[in-house]
Amino acid sequence: MAIVSLKDVKKTYPLGKTEVHAVKGVSFDIARGDFISIAGPSGSGKSTILNMIGCIDVPTAGTVELNNQITSGLTDREITELRHKFVGFIFQSFNLIPVLNVYENIEFPLLLGKDTIDPKKRKEWTDYLIEEVGLTDWAKHRPNELSGGQRQRVAIARSLATKPELVLADEPTANLDSETSEAIIGLMKKINKEMNTTFIFSTHDPTIMELAEHIIKLKDGLISSEYRRDK
Amino acid sequence: MAVIFRIALRNLREHKSKTLIIGIIIAVGIMIMTIGTSLIDTATTGIEEAFIENYTGDILIGGISEDDLSIFGVQSIGGIEPTPRIPEYARILEYLDTRSDIEIYTPEVTSFAAISVEGQKDPDSRGMTLLFGIEPDSYRDMFERITIIEGEFLKPGETGILLTQSNRKIIEKRLELTLNVGDSILLTGFSDTGIKIREVEVKGFYQLLSETDGVNMSSYIDIPTLRALKAINAGGLNEIILDASQTALLDADNFDDLFSDDAFSDAFAISDSNAFDDPFSLPDSSKTEEDTFLDPFAGSLTQNTDLELSDNEAAADMSKIEPSVENSLSISLRNDSGSYEFILLSLKNQRRTSRVVDDLNEWFIKEGIAAQAMDWKGAAGPFSSTADVIRNIFNIAVLLVAFVALIIITNTLLISVMERKKEIGTMRAMGARKGFVSSMFTTEIVLITLVFGIIGELLGLGALGIVSLINIKAGNTLVEVLFAGPVLRPVIHFSTLAINLAVVIAIGILANLYPVFVALRIQPVKAISSI
């Protein structure tokens, strides 16, 4: 059963008097527990598709379904709630909150929802995530005291804080060296297996792309190829 | 909430330069406000104290007039109008006696008069005085902080005048003579019925608690003399029963009979001794409890020989004469409503002034009495507006400064929002609601304004402390009133400090509105794509 379903999705941005067609009609399904890479060169529409799946952008045409729910037409509050409960984000530039330390950054999404979580359970879960990404000794450090790889580990742990079913990672290795990149993808894959969390990441790096099991290649806003590897 | 506070606090520390820019603006602003409001409070307190302790008491009761009534009379665009007299004086006093929150009250009549002295060098020269016709005992009890410099205060039933020390000097200079206790002066009063001149003895000179220019030219005078100067009729609310021999006077066939020695002596021969002094007084046995009001301040009236009835009022009073029983006439004299213009009240607790004023006014309306109660501000008339004018000028200046500060703070906060687009976008992407973002920025500005507001107030208090220590002396009486004493000792009201702080926080929140509006319009996707 598809956790994400895109049907003839188009996205057009106005640019002065002209229009830029970032996505020209894309359809695909992503199954629960997938570890999928959306690959393609810059400007192919990778980030735009991820943004629409993550409900931080809306399609100009077509529909995006998350967990069988069409996202267009939802109110800002409903969209915010959906993002909080269902989607985790990992950004290219990590986007950690600079004034919070590692522990606080990972805990942060747990403090946003309208449901109150027992502080003890919250701490146990946050500590588990820190341990999972191997940053126990860095828990009290601020983001500016960490390396790029460590920051991205924090971002991965943070994306998992609310136990989302889907994690979106927009070029998570773009700012990392190749060795760290492989380690980060490896970590994501490990969590994918352990927690059955669906991971969708975009990349233009062919080496990283090959680490995914399900690959969708884009070119000029259209799918150029899609294939699966054996797990 | 804890996370909002934590992020806000750390963001303030992280962006030190912006925090300092906003903080310094706020600290300097509130420091100026603290100093300014303290000096204005000092002036207000000075003026308030001067009036309450010298002239008005806590509350003034007067009649109803179309134009503004104050203790100086009625001031209209056309000039000074006749001051309305208190109607149903007896009922009002009875009501006041039932109230436990009133410490003391005293009646008063106010007027102006020209002063001259027989034998002065320039016969056309005149001094001026504001006359307060008073009942000595109750007035002295109420305004006990007035100092007698020379001579003695008026005694009950005594005629005479007391001048302020400052008016004494003015008069001496103008009339080119020296005024002493025991001297006689001529007072020229002006009324609807013409000019009245009375000679009175100077009983003494006094010093007010603090003096206000203009009002310090006041004098205390016995009420009967002042009534005479103003041509006010006087009397009691007693129902007067005349016996047959007295009514026989009215049956006289001609004026010769009416004013003959026999008729006069016959008519009063059987009255008590007071009757000669007071043509309307009666033997006690003729009064009943229901129709007799014992005016606690009327003692002085009976000894007065200068009482007058103006023609109109006399006619009006005569029209009220009506037969009551055989061989007698019941004369209902309600002309006591013309006896007093004001009743001044002193309360046991000044904080209840506003409440008591409201109570009194409600009671007047309920009882259909054409009277009004007002606090010292109303009673002081145009003089009370001095502090208000200063305060308004200061408030306008503060408003202008606040507007400039508002723009600077808004710009600084806007820059901060633009710099934190990524952070805001990330939070929104992770599920932060708009309320969370706005709370975060609001908490930041409230923290800045609170911390720097308190710092500013402490600096202001320090500056006021220094002002207090260096003993700035008042050069003249006006400044003395503004200083609330001979030396400037700034008054600090903690309520004012709290209000100032609240105002600054409100300005901060106001300045924050537009930046927050911009922050809430930031879409997560734009924030992320702008990285």
Side-chain angles (χ1 to χ4, degrees):
Chain A
M1 188 176 173
I3 191 169
V4 177
S5 180
L6 272 71
K7 288 180 182 139
D8 196 23
V9 170
K10 293 175 185 171
K11 182 67 187 181
T12 305
Y13 294 111
L15 187 70
K17 288 181 180 175
T18 60
E19 288 183 331
V20 175
H21 300 282
V23 179
K24 294 172 181 169
V26 169
S27 301
F28 61 82
D29 289 336
I30 295 170
R32 196 178 298 274
D34 247 0
F35 192 75
I36 184 169
S37 164
I38 297 176
S42 294
S44 60
K46 306 185 295 291
S47 296
T48 308
I49 287 173
L50 279 186
N51 289 342
M52 288 189 288
I53 294 171
C55 302
I56 57 175
D57 206 353
V58 288
T60 313
T63 57
V64 176
E65 283 184 35
L66 285 186
N67 210 21
N68 295 322
Q69 186 177 14
I70 296 171
T71 57
S72 51
L74 294 178
T75 62
D76 183 77
R77 187 170 277 244
E78 288 167 339
I79 290 273
T80 305
E81 194 70 17
L82 183 67
R83 278 200 304 262
H84 181 248
K85 283 188 171 167
F86 195 74
V87 189
F89 288 93
I90 300 167
F91 302 102
Q92 181 182 326
S93 301
F94 324 122
N95 288 30
L96 301 178
I97 297 167
V99 295
L100 300 180
N101 63 30
V102 168
Y103 179 91
E104 290 163 343
N105 260 291
I106 295 168
E107 185 197 35
F108 182 72
L110 296 171
L111 304 167
L112 294 176
K114 60 181 180 184
D115 302 324
T116 316
I117 301 165
D118 175 49
K120 194 183 167 190
K121 285 184 181 169
R122 196 169 67 213
K123 188 179 182 315
E124 279 173 9
W125 176 238
T126 308
D127 285 339
Y128 170 77
L129 288 172
I130 292 174
E131 196 182 333
E132 193 71 8
V133 297
L135 289 171
T136 307
D137 294 340
W138 297 84
K140 298 292 174 194
H141 288 255
R142 293 269 187 99
N144 61 355
E145 296 164 342
L146 306 176
S147 68
Q150 284 174 318
R151 289 183 204 187
Q152 203 57 301
R153 282 167 186 270
V154 176
I156 291 168
R158 185 181 65 181
S159 73
L160 296 165
T162 56
K163 299 181 184 171
E165 293 191 43
L166 177 67
V167 172
L168 301 171
D170 188 12
E171 303 215 29
T173 58
N175 289 330
L176 305 173
D177 58 65
S178 57
E179 193 181 336
T180 312
S181 297
E182 281 187 29
I184 289 295
I185 298 298
L187 177 63
M188 286 163 56
K189 207 169 181 176
K190 176 177 167 258
I191 292 164
N192 166 250
K193 298 286 180 226
E194 285 176 5
M195 300 182 186
N196 197 34
T197 307
T198 308
F199 273 81
I200 307 172
F201 66 95
S202 67
T203 183
H204 60 266
D205 185 340
T207 320
I208 299 297
M209 179 185 74
E210 291 304 318
L211 295 171
E213 293 153 356
H214 181 180
I215 299 162
I216 296 170
K217 285 189 178 176
L218 295 175
K219 191 178 179 188
D220 297 332
L222 290 168
I223 295 174
S224 59
S225 65
E226 180 179 1
Y227 57 93
R228 288 178 182 275
R229 289 166 187 282
D230 291 333
K231 289 188 181 181
Chain B
M1 207 49 211
V3 71
I4 291 175
F5 187 78
R6 194 189 307 149
I7 292 173
L9 198 63
R10 290 185 190 171
N11 265 319
L12 293 179
R13 282 211 305 252
E14 205 70 20
H15 303 97
K16 285 192 183 72
S17 56
K18 288 186 195 70
T19 305
L20 278 176
I21 289 170
I22 297 171
I24 288 168
I25 291 169
I26 286 165
V28 171
I30 202 164
M31 186 181 80
I32 293 168
M33 279 173 74
T34 303
I35 295 169
T37 48
S38 168
L39 294 179
I40 291 167
D41 282 346
T42 306
T44 308
T45 306
I47 294 168
E48 181 178 347
E49 195 174 64
F51 272 87
I52 289 177
E53 299 286 349
N54 289 328
Y55 311 109
T56 64
D58 296 318
I59 294 173
L60 174 143
I61 295 173
I64 299 286
S65 63
E66 281 184 17
D67 295 300
D68 290 341
L69 175 75
S70 72
I71 200 162
F72 310 109
V74 177
Q75 289 196 316
S76 68
I77 298 166
I80 295 174
E81 299 287 328
T83 307
R85 292 151 209 176
I86 295 179
E88 310 221 33
Y89 174 71
R91 278 179 70 199
I92 294 174
L93 289 200
E94 278 170 14
Y95 176 65
L96 296 180
D97 287 336
T98 65
R99 292 196 65 108
S100 58
D101 45 13
I102 295 168
E103 178 79 39
I104 190 169
Y105 56 81
T106 185
E108 191 180 275
V109 183
T110 306
S111 188
F112 292 89
I115 296 177
S116 56
V117 177
E118 274 189 33
Q120 65 189 51
K121 283 186 184 172
D122 179 2
D124 295 327
S125 270
R126 294 283 185 276
M128 283 301 294
T129 184
L130 168 64
L131 291 171
F132 292 130
I134 59 163
E135 189 288 310
D137 275 353
S138 59
Y139 196 90
R140 193 74 180 109
D141 286 345
M142 189 156 163
F143 299 100
E144 56 189 6
R145 291 173 74 182
I146 291 161
T147 315
I148 301 297
I149 305 290
E150 219 178 305
E152 286 183 340
F153 203 75
L154 285 170
K155 292 182 179 68
E158 189 177 52
T159 56
I161 189 168
L162 279 97
L163 301 166
T164 58
Q165 192 70 351
S166 47
N167 201 20
R168 175 194 198 177
K169 287 172 189 165
I170 294 168
I171 293 165
E172 283 179 342
K173 193 175 174 188
R174 186 166 290 175
L175 303 185
E176 297 178 72
L177 47 77
T178 306
L179 273 178
N180 292 303
V181 174
D183 288 352
S184 287
I185 60 172
L186 292 172
L187 295 174
T188 307
F190 310 92
S191 71
D192 295 345
T193 55
I195 294 171
K196 309 281 177 194
I197 300 173
R198 288 289 179 278
E199 184 177 30
V200 286
E201 185 185 337
V202 176
K203 293 289 181 185
F205 301 97
Y206 64 98
Q207 178 79 46
L208 293 161
L209 181 66
S210 57
E211 297 189 343
T212 306
D213 274 356
V215 196
N216 61 0
M217 292 170 73
S218 59
S219 307
Y220 298 139
I221 191 166
D222 59 286
I223 287 183
T225 304
L226 185 55
R227 283 189 180 129
L229 281 167
K230 291 190 81 172
I232 297 175
N233 57 313
L237 278 175
N238 311 338
E239 187 177 7
I240 298 170
I241 312 295
L242 301 180
D243 63 21
S245 60
Q246 289 169 320
T247 54
L249 272 173
L250 301 174
D251 296 332
D253 292 335
N254 55 58
F255 286 111
D256 290 336
D257 291 343
L258 181 62
F259 293 105
S260 70
D261 290 343
D262 292 344
F264 194 70
S265 57
D266 289 349
F268 291 101
I270 52 170
S271 295
D272 71 359
S273 58
N274 281 340
F276 197 76
D277 294 328
D278 182 350
F280 299 122
S281 70
L282 288 170
D284 289 346
S285 58
S286 67
K287 299 176 185 177
T288 63
E289 272 188 36
E290 287 80 10
D291 58 18
T292 302
F293 163 65
L294 295 174
D295 182 351
F297 308 113
S300 60
L301 297 182
T302 56
Q303 297 176 43
N304 177 55
T305 54
D306 288 333
L307 297 182
E308 298 186 13
L309 281 173
S310 67
D311 290 347
N312 291 340
E313 286 159 342
D317 291 332
M318 286 305 289
S319 70
K320 293 171 186 163
I321 297 172
E322 55 187 281
S324 88
V325 290
E326 199 178 351
N327 293 328
S328 69
L329 272 177
S330 173
I331 304 171
S332 179
L333 288 174
R334 302 192 187 284
N335 55 3
D336 196 56
S337 62
S339 299
Y340 299 109
E341 292 171 345
F342 305 110
I343 303 169
L344 310 178
L345 315 180
S346 187
L347 301 182
K348 286 176 182 164
N349 181 0
Q350 280 191 333
R351 288 180 182 174
R352 285 183 52 83
T353 301
S354 159
R355 178 79 183 273
V356 177
V357 166
D358 290 345
D359 281 357
L360 288 169
N361 284 327
E362 274 173 28
W363 184 79
F364 292 144
I365 292 167
K366 189 180 145 208
E367 298 295 319
I369 298 174
Q372 58 177 321
M374 60 185 81
D375 64 7
W376 79 270
K377 270 196 163 185
F383 288 92
S384 69
S385 60
T386 310
D388 290 338
V389 169
I390 298 168
R391 192 180 289 276
N392 287 340
I393 291 168
F394 177 75
N395 285 343
I396 289 167
V398 166
L399 211 63
L400 288 173
V401 174
F403 183 69
V404 175
L406 197 78
I407 291 169
I408 297 170
I409 294 170
T410 300
N411 274 328
T412 314
L413 290 172
L414 201 56
I415 292 166
S416 176
V417 165
M418 299 318 284
E419 283 179 355
R420 287 162 63 187
K421 267 172 84 174
K422 179 178 159 184
E423 186 182 319
I424 298 162
T426 306
M427 287 177 177
R428 295 279 288 131
M430 286 191 295
R433 290 182 182 178
K434 287 184 174 178
F436 181 91
V437 177
S438 63
S439 299
M440 192 173 70
F441 281 99
T442 306
T443 306
E444 285 180 25
I445 196 68
V446 168
L447 277 173
I448 297 182
T449 47
L450 194 65
V451 171
F452 284 91
I454 290 169
I455 291 171
E457 287 198 328
L458 290 174
L459 290 172
L461 290 175
L464 289 170
I466 292 167
V467 166
S468 199
L469 283 175
I470 56 179
N471 287 331
I472 299 172
K473 288 178 182 161
N476 56 56
T477 51
L478 177 63
V479 179
E480 198 170 313
V481 169
L482 295 178
F483 281 13
V487 178
L488 179 58
R489 299 266 184 262
V491 171
I492 296 159
H493 292 145
F494 286 100
S495 58
T496 310
L497 293 178
I499 289 167
N500 286 348
L501 201 58
V503 166
V504 168
I505 290 172
I507 289 171
I509 291 171
L510 202 65
N512 198 40
L513 287 181
Y514 182 65
V516 166
F517 173 74
V518 171
L520 295 181
R521 281 170 64 96
I522 294 171
Q523 294 298 320
V525 64
K526 292 202 174 166
I528 291 160
S529 60
S530 69
I531 298 157

